[in-house]
Amino acid sequence: MLLSLVFIYVQNKYIITKIGVVFRRFPNFTFLLTDFSYDLPVNYSNIEQDLLKRIAEGDEAAFRELYDRSWNRLYSFALSWLKSGIQAEDIVQDIFLKLWIRRTELHAIKNADNYLFILCRNAVLNLMEKNVVRQKNGEAIASSQESPLMPDAALQLKEMKTTINQLIEKLPTQQRLIYKMSREEGLTHEEIAQRLGILKETVKNHMVRALNTLRKNTDPAHTLVFLFLWMLEISLKK
């Protein structure tokens, strides 16, 4: 079913609303239009705006700082609607990977906070739509990284995934197993622990070691891979 696109202008914020299967599946869907529609302190917004400009110039330190400053709010928003910690993490990581890939376009952004939340809101809407359709058809839940991209950006993400998959296959057996159960099957650390008959803390330790191994074996020239692995490490500490 084709979904209509309605652009609503609310308090100087453009919000994209998809009307159709998502609206029918979630009766309180209109709340999604106004959630997090508030003004941050001026100094906070200015800091994020400055970070965005530095990212546009290729500053990795600015990227890491913006990710760390924004993670909790974006993750909480995605989690409140998706009800899945793994999907919420994937949403935030995907937003920032694409932010880095398209960093040269960031000079045109006038409000960093609104921009990030619009990206998050649209990603959540896209994933909710796909999940509803797939559940109806009895298919697997959609991945947050299935949203369309420009060919060059899509190619960079594809190359990143290929590189990471090659590195994963070289991990020690237990690290490789737990990493795949977490990142590919979407299982929580507690679910992995129950399935393997080990402690939850042991699962986390294996994930930490796996990420350390992946990072050490990554070519320094693969900036996108390094940033992705760094984001995974950060999520383990949250």
Side-chain angles (χ1 to χ4, degrees):
M1 173 182 179
L2 294 176
L3 301 179
S4 305
L5 287 180
V6 179
F7 291 84
I8 303 176
Y9 189 73
V10 179
Q11 296 178 346
N12 297 324
K13 296 177 176 66
Y14 285 103
I15 301 173
I16 300 177
T17 308
K18 291 193 172 184
I19 308 299
V21 292
V22 177
F23 187 84
R24 292 197 297 273
R25 176 63 176 80
F26 301 94
N28 59 342
F29 176 72
T30 51
F31 177 72
L32 188 57
L33 304 182
T34 55
D35 199 21
F36 285 103
S37 181
Y38 58 84
D39 294 321
L40 290 172
V42 174
N43 61 331
Y44 191 99
S45 297
N46 288 344
I47 291 173
E48 290 198 334
Q49 195 67 32
D50 179 65
L51 291 173
L52 214 58
K53 291 179 180 178
R54 287 166 54 193
I55 293 171
E57 297 168 357
D59 189 331
E60 292 182 36
F63 174 91
R64 294 169 188 257
E65 184 176 346
L66 182 63
Y67 180 85
D68 195 49
R69 292 173 66 87
S70 306
W71 191 91
N72 283 331
R73 290 176 294 126
L74 296 177
Y75 172 82
S76 296
F77 175 77
L79 180 63
S80 69
W81 283 94
L82 298 173
K83 310 302 181 187
S84 166
I86 291 295
Q87 286 191 338
E89 285 182 14
D90 286 348
I91 284 283
V92 179
Q93 290 163 3
D94 194 42
I95 287 171
F96 276 87
L97 285 175
K98 292 171 183 176
L99 190 76
W100 179 259
I101 290 173
R102 303 180 64 177
R103 60 190 178 278
T104 56
E105 303 172 16
L106 299 179
H107 285 295
I109 304 303
K110 303 301 181 184
N111 188 313
D113 187 66
N114 283 357
Y115 179 68
L116 289 173
F117 272 114
I118 287 172
L119 289 179
C120 187
R121 181 186 288 115
N122 291 347
V124 168
L125 289 173
N126 286 335
L127 192 55
M128 287 168 65
E129 174 196 337
K130 289 174 182 176
N131 285 345
V132 170
V133 172
R134 292 194 173 197
Q135 286 174 347
K136 181 179 179 180
N137 296 333
E139 300 174 8
I141 294 299
S143 164
S144 64
Q145 298 185 355
E146 293 182 359
S147 54
L149 282 171
M150 295 297 289
D152 59 335
L155 179 60
Q156 289 185 58
L157 280 180
K158 182 178 180 180
E159 291 175 346
M160 181 201 76
K161 293 175 184 177
T162 298
T163 299
I164 290 175
N165 286 337
Q166 291 172 346
L167 293 171
I168 290 170
E169 293 306 315
K170 297 178 182 179
L171 288 172
T173 303
Q174 192 76 339
Q175 290 182 22
R176 182 173 66 250
L177 174 63
I178 289 176
Y179 182 95
K180 287 185 174 183
M181 292 174 74
S182 173
R183 303 311 307 172
E184 296 179 10
E185 295 183 44
L187 300 178
T188 65
H189 288 180
E190 185 173 353
E191 290 170 336
I192 295 172
Q194 291 176 351
R195 183 178 293 188
L196 298 181
I198 58 180
L199 296 175
K200 180 180 176 180
E201 191 62 28
T202 303
V203 173
K204 181 177 180 179
N205 290 338
H206 277 297
M207 278 296 295
V208 170
R209 293 192 189 106
L211 292 174
N212 286 336
T213 302
L214 291 173
R215 188 178 63 254
K216 290 177 183 178
N217 293 335
T218 299
D219 186 334
H222 291 162
T223 303
L224 197 61
V225 175
F226 266 109
L227 291 176
F228 174 73
L229 295 175
W230 174 80
M231 287 190 288
L232 289 183
E233 288 184 85
I234 292 297
S235 68
L236 286 177
K237 300 174 183 178
K238 298 293 185 181

